[in-house]
Amino acid sequence: MSIPYQIKSLEQYHEVYKQSIENPEKFWGDIASNFRWKKPFDQVLDWNFAEPKIEWFKGGQLNITENCLDRWAETQSDTPALIWESNDVQEANRVLTYQELLTQVCQFAQVLKNKGIQKGDRICIYMPMVPELAIAILACARIGAIHSVVFGGFSAQSIADRINDASCKLVITADGGYRGNKEIPLKNVMDEALVQCDSVQKVIVLARNNMPISMLKGRDSWWHEEVHQVIEQGITFFEAVAMDAEDPLFILYTSGSTGKPKGVVHSSAGYMVYTNYTFINVFQYQAGDIHFCTADIGWITGHSYIVYGPLSAGATSLMFEGIPTWPDAGRFWDIVDKYKVNILYTAPTAIRSLMSFGTEILRDKDLSSLKVLGTVGEPINEEAWHWYHTNIGKEKCPIVDTWWQTETGGILISNLAGITPQIPSYATLPMPGIQPILVQENGQVIEGSDASLATLPSEIVSGNLAIKFPWPSMIRTTYGDHERCRTTYFSMYKNLYFTGDGCLRDTEGNYRITGRVDDVLNVSGHRIGTAELENAINSHTGVIESAIVGYPHEIKGQGIYAYIIYHGEGIDKKNAAQDIQATVTRLIGAIAKPDKIQFVSGLPKTRSGKIMRRILRKIAEGDTENLGDISTLLDPSVVEEIVQNVE
Ligand code: WTA
């Protein structure tokens, strides 16, 4: 059987999956032949997980933007590539056809060239969700510069850390942005960051909300003036720079279990092939579909399934600047009706939040254009799944529960919409080419449904999720520190990529992700490392020590619970808590603010000084009856005190 690009039946899925595992090189070689290469590759895969070395499509040269733009501008130039919906309901929307997007990307690539940018230079992008953000990203890719997008909610300190880690030469930002009824002072925050960043030579500023900002002579310039100059010169095209398959395409920072965020590096060819393949198969994309991914481009979901996946498929990608609850909780549904959205891809946290507003708001919404629904970012609870299925999908739209990570580049485990079975709260089956494996703490592989290892009834097995064979869009390195990549992902279990997630598997081979097993929280689908957050809190003058744990939160999935030892007797708790929140907002961003703060006089520690988070987690969950053995603690009495003072 020759391999179909889009899988059309369950039998076909099983057949394709089998072939992809038996002969991965043939499989991915065939898939990759569907793209535009400047020079064909000579070797599909070269790898070992020990270093790790992961090289796909070696010898090949390409530019991802030719695959996302040129080939569609040639064949369907008037198809909308991007549709943009403003935060403000009154503001006109914007539609950019493939030809228009190509031209604007080329013009901005010329701007970058005029600023002295060359292949391999790093560029930090800190922008609101406007079409220019996608244009900036694609222009970087066009010229071969490596983009590092920083989410607009991160603080000056977080930006500075990211810029310095990658020695970015240029920054692209905006005066400010809108989110609901708030205005976000992006340029001011960026200016505060740049005080610490010597590598940055130029800053390009998009005028979005006209808030007062300072423009530094010689360093800062306006986006529209730069582009105007290029247009004046009559430039409408910029030849895409030839990239080696393994040349880095972008860096995206993500939190881990140690203090400092890691710069996850993705490659040019593998990332393109895999995001395209998964976009087309998971969502069962059909030509003409309007795809609405509600993520922010500051996260991996936006990179892969607003920009690169959909555009490389010639799809129409809808980009929304605002938030789901403004001006009211019907905003997503209004957008679906306004643009006749066919595929809606969002996060469980958004579903739960919208659920809490009830179904009255849905009464005058049509939603009949919807064909496929998706979720990503965290486990979806059954209640939210059913609400989504019934009220939004009207029981006719399959829901794809897509499991993946910043490091995986694209979706690894998910049902294929309407093709493979959906099971509420299960991500279900691996994508072709993906070989998941469950392992015990000690590395022992958990086979099939071996009941002797099962910790749960009905032969469901549980373990840590790892992947045993490379796939094209996997992480290549952590920027500037390859050893960190090795120790974080490839040293826990020999010859396996370790995901950091816990997972169940049923007898049919369906996977259900249960959440992180490392010290990383998943708050509203955003990863927050507890060590990073503790460092931020501990830097506040009043704080002696702190410990962060997660607890179940109705909307956010996980909430942040902070136990804090604070200087001095009789502190004003309210003030102290506010100061701590302000410190976290300044050092990381408002997304990392604790939901609960409890001041304590001591933390439960082992005799070797290790904080017993297990106990703190139980207390935060309200499960104080089952704290387990606390006799090994240095001072068991602190536990009693903490339990008594829970607020
Ligand atoms: C979690 C987001 C359950 C998981 C694309 C993973 C999920 C982390 C799912 C990655 C899902 C993501 N079901 N959990 N469908 N999708 N996760 O890097 O813990 O922001 O490790 O990538 O989110 O988060 P990241």
Side-chain angles (χ1 to χ4, degrees):
M1 181 182 100
S2 78
I3 291 174
Y5 200 88
Q6 191 174 46
I7 296 167
K8 282 288 159 206
S9 69
L10 182 59
E11 300 69 54
Q12 218 174 45
Y13 163 78
H14 286 301
E15 177 58 30
V16 170
Y17 186 77
K18 188 162 159 268
Q19 290 192 29
S20 75
I21 303 307
E22 283 172 4
N23 197 344
E25 302 197 15
K26 161 102 180 50
F27 173 75
W28 288 115
D30 284 356
I31 296 295
S33 68
N34 290 282
F35 294 81
R36 182 173 289 189
W37 294 87
K38 283 178 180 287
K39 177 172 169 283
F41 49 89
D42 337 288
Q43 190 186 358
V44 175
L45 174 63
D46 186 9
W47 71 290
N48 72 66
F49 277 173
E51 292 179 46
K53 174 174 83 170
I54 297 126
E55 295 179 342
W56 284 90
F57 312 117
K58 241 164 118 167
Q61 286 194 332
L62 78 161
N63 188 292
I64 195 169
T65 68
E66 288 191 336
N67 287 276
C68 289
L69 301 171
D70 304 60
R71 59 174 175 160
W72 306 115
E74 287 160 21
T75 54
Q76 46 172 57
S77 61
D78 295 336
T79 302
L82 287 179
I83 298 178
W84 174 78
E85 166 80 4
S86 166
N87 178 65
D88 178 357
V89 200
Q90 308 299 331
E91 186 177 358
N93 61 349
R94 287 169 64 187
V95 178
L96 291 173
T97 65
Y98 271 94
Q99 182 58 55
E100 287 164 342
L101 185 59
L102 171 61
T103 305
Q104 294 191 29
V105 166
C106 283
Q107 287 167 336
F108 199 69
Q110 182 66 47
V111 168
L112 295 177
K113 185 162 184 211
N114 294 350
K115 294 279 166 199
I117 293 302
Q118 292 174 350
K119 180 179 168 187
D121 286 342
R122 276 81 54 210
I123 295 185
C124 173
I125 302 179
Y126 185 66
M127 289 179 82
M129 281 284 287
V130 290
E132 285 78 5
L133 167 53
I135 293 169
I137 285 175
L138 292 162
C140 288
R142 189 90 178 165
I143 198 169
I146 302 169
H147 55 79
S148 166
V149 181
V150 177
F151 172 61
F154 277 118
S155 68
Q157 187 59 49
S158 299
I159 302 167
D161 291 344
R162 286 158 173 77
I163 289 178
N164 289 336
D165 187 72
S167 308
C168 294
K169 203 165 153 187
L170 184 134
V171 163
I172 308 170
T173 187
D175 45 5
Y178 300 105
R179 274 178 73 75
N181 58 4
K182 290 203 194 100
E183 291 197 38
I184 316 292
L186 297 170
K187 176 64 160 63
N188 290 338
V189 176
M190 181 54 79
D191 282 339
E192 196 187 326
L194 289 179
V195 173
Q196 302 180 46
C197 304
D198 293 337
S199 60
V200 174
Q201 295 164 8
K202 300 284 176 200
V203 179
I204 301 176
V205 186
L206 177 79
R208 171 63 190 130
N209 69 347
N210 299 318
M211 71 194 302
I213 57 166
S214 82
M215 293 287 282
L216 202 64
K217 199 177 282 172
R219 186 193 73 177
D220 302 355
S221 63
W222 288 104
W223 175 296
H224 58 272
E225 289 178 2
E226 297 287 352
V227 171
H228 183 71
Q229 263 183 31
V230 168
I231 294 174
E232 289 283 281
Q233 292 162 4
I235 291 166
T236 53
F237 189 76
F238 188 98
E239 183 63 39
V241 169
M243 304 292 283
D244 287 333
E246 281 299 321
D247 279 339
L249 175 64
F250 67 87
I251 306 171
L252 189 60
Y253 285 84
T254 187
S255 292
S257 41
T258 53
K260 210 170 121 234
K262 301 177 285 272
V264 173
V265 177
H266 281 291
S267 70
S268 295
Y271 176 81
M272 168 185 74
V273 169
Y274 195 79
T275 51
N276 179 276
Y277 184 70
T278 49
F279 172 73
I280 287 176
N281 277 287
V282 170
F283 301 103
Q284 287 290 303
Y285 170 73
Q286 297 295 316
D289 281 350
I290 311 284
H291 173 78
F292 177 21
C293 168
T294 70
D296 192 291
I297 293 178
W299 308 108
I300 191 70
T301 306
H303 281 62
S304 301
Y305 299 108
I306 295 179
V307 182
Y308 289 116
L311 296 181
S312 66
T316 298
S317 187
L318 178 72
M319 200 177 158
F320 172 43
E321 182 184 31
I323 56 171
T325 48
W326 198 82
D328 65 37
R331 190 70 195 271
F332 275 2
W333 323 129
D334 288 338
I335 296 174
V336 167
D337 284 350
K338 180 168 172 188
Y339 299 102
K340 307 234 174 320
V341 168
N342 306 111
I343 305 168
L344 174 68
Y345 190 29
T346 192
T349 191
I351 298 168
R352 286 191 298 264
S353 148
L354 295 174
M355 223 169 108
S356 70
F357 289 88
T359 49
E360 184 58 23
I361 203 151
L362 288 166
R363 256 223 299 203
D364 61 340
K365 318 291 184 218
D366 176 40
L367 306 181
S368 64
S369 57
L370 288 172
K371 295 196 298 190
V372 173
L373 304 176
T375 76
V376 59
E378 51 184 311
I380 181 161
N381 48 313
E382 292 201 31
E383 193 192 352
W385 192 98
H386 285 292
W387 187 89
Y388 197 30
H389 188 242
T390 309
N391 297 294
I392 307 306
K394 315 288 187 202
E395 292 180 354
K396 68 175 176 54
C397 301
I399 297 179
V400 288
D401 179 351
T402 65
W403 173 83
W404 57 296
Q405 310 178 296
T406 304
E407 295 86 343
T408 71
I411 297 163
L412 295 201
I413 304 182
S414 171
N415 48 316
L416 310 181
I419 303 291
T420 63
Q422 61 187 14
I423 311 171
S425 82
Y426 275 77
T428 73
L429 299 171
M431 291 298 295
I434 304 303
Q435 303 189 37
I437 181 168
L438 294 186
V439 281
Q440 290 181 309
E441 283 282 311
N442 63 12
Q444 192 184 336
V445 174
I446 301 171
E447 304 288 352
S449 55
D450 181 346
S452 67
L453 291 168
T455 51
L456 290 159
S458 73
E459 303 201 323
I460 291 175
V461 290
S462 149
N464 290 345
L465 178 63
I467 315 285
K468 70 173 178 191
F469 195 84
W471 63 98
S473 66
M474 73 186 296
I475 179 173
R476 296 303 197 266
T477 188
T478 43
Y479 191 83
D481 190 352
H482 194 62
E483 177 58 12
R484 186 155 179 219
C485 175
R486 192 187 68 78
T487 52
T488 312
Y489 306 105
F490 299 93
S491 69
M492 180 89 161
Y493 304 114
K494 198 162 176 253
N495 289 328
L496 298 178
Y497 165 82
F498 176 51
T499 66
D501 279 328
C503 187
L504 309 178
R505 185 177 55 215
D506 73 9
T507 47
E508 312 288 305
N510 290 299
Y511 290 87
R512 175 182 178 158
I513 314 300
T514 49
R516 305 288 306 190
V517 293
D518 53 5
D519 289 326
V520 175
L521 306 186
N522 190 330
V523 180
S524 299
H526 300 147
R527 278 161 67 169
I528 301 193
T530 53
E532 192 186 348
L533 184 47
E534 285 163 8
N535 286 347
I537 292 176
N538 295 349
S539 72
H540 181 66
T541 47
V543 174
I544 298 172
E545 200 179 2
S546 65
I548 298 293
V549 296
Y551 71 98
H553 187 287
E554 215 173 304
I555 306 273
K556 299 178 172 184
Q558 262 189 318
I560 302 175
Y561 200 117
Y563 297 91
I564 295 175
I565 310 179
Y566 207 82
H567 273 298
E569 296 282 299
I571 55 162
D572 177 342
K573 287 188 187 168
K574 200 162 154 238
N575 262 343
Q578 278 171 357
D579 288 353
I580 288 163
Q581 301 285 27
T583 308
V584 171
T585 306
R586 192 170 66 76
L587 292 180
I588 304 178
I591 50 169
K593 280 200 304 196
D595 297 280
K596 290 187 187 172
I597 292 180
Q598 182 178 350
F599 292 102
V600 297
S601 65
L603 290 167
K605 287 188 179 169
T606 60
R607 292 201 175 82
S608 59
K610 209 171 152 280
I611 297 174
M612 293 282 278
R613 285 168 200 280
R614 178 178 55 77
I615 295 175
L616 293 175
R617 232 175 265 135
K618 287 266 183 209
I619 299 174
E621 286 165 7
D623 185 12
T624 51
E625 300 295 304
N626 303 300
L627 294 180
D629 182 14
I630 58 169
S631 63
T632 56
L633 291 180
L634 191 61
D635 177 8
S637 72
V638 294
V639 174
E640 204 173 308
E641 183 214 293
I642 295 175
V643 171
Q644 269 169 12
N645 294 323
V646 168
E647 300 186 357

